[in-house]
Amino acid sequence: MEPNSESAEPKPAYTGRPSKNDDFKFYDGALNKLLLEKLPSNCIKYGRIDTLALSKATGNARFTIYRWLNEQRLSKNAIRSLLKVSAETDERKKKGKLKKDDLIPFFDLGDDL
């Protein structure tokens, strides 16, 4: 039997699990830009946020860090942990520390209001 040339489709280059979120804005968001400017250098790797280092520093899971950056929303505990990490910044470095006022625009008030 000869294979039907019409039904034979080329295999896609990537056969892994498809992304669940097509509008993933991890690197484009305002929160990502703010954290790049204000977090200590040990949380930045190759010009991007090192989610593993940030998760260890804040005590949150990596998927939680990704959720913060993708949804552009922070809980009260997230704000506290980011402020704590920023406070540990070496004073000799020129990066500014995060302040509560920087993170307030990202505070999630919830859907209860």
Side-chain angles (χ1 to χ4, degrees):
M1 293 181 101
E2 290 182 28
N4 187 354
S5 62
E6 292 176 17
S7 65
E9 295 179 17
K11 289 187 177 182
Y14 177 73
T15 59
R17 185 175 173 179
S19 174
K20 291 183 180 180
N21 188 353
D22 293 334
D23 53 323
F24 190 69
K25 54 186 176 247
F26 180 81
Y27 298 113
D28 298 332
L31 180 59
N32 181 60
K33 292 174 186 172
L34 173 70
L35 295 179
L36 280 175
E37 291 174 11
K38 304 278 185 162
L39 283 178
S41 59
N42 65 331
C43 293
I44 309 296
K45 188 176 194 179
Y46 303 117
R48 292 186 173 174
I49 295 174
D50 184 0
T51 55
L52 181 61
L54 189 58
S55 69
K56 287 179 181 178
T58 60
N60 291 290
R62 264 178 114 173
F63 66 84
T64 304
I65 307 295
Y66 285 116
R67 189 182 70 234
W68 294 346
L69 296 170
N70 191 36
E71 294 178 1
Q72 301 289 303
R73 295 186 306 184
L74 298 170
S75 66
K76 190 184 335 181
N77 290 335
I79 291 174
R80 282 187 188 136
S81 62
L82 287 170
L83 290 174
K84 181 180 175 187
V85 169
S86 179
E88 296 169 357
T89 304
D90 187 2
E91 294 297 328
R92 293 174 285 154
K93 297 189 178 162
K94 294 184 179 182
K95 284 189 172 188
K97 291 183 182 179
L98 275 171
K99 297 176 184 150
K100 208 184 303 186
D101 293 337
D102 296 333
L103 297 173
I104 292 298
F106 303 104
F107 181 59
D108 183 18
L109 294 175
D111 297 329
D112 299 337
L113 298 177

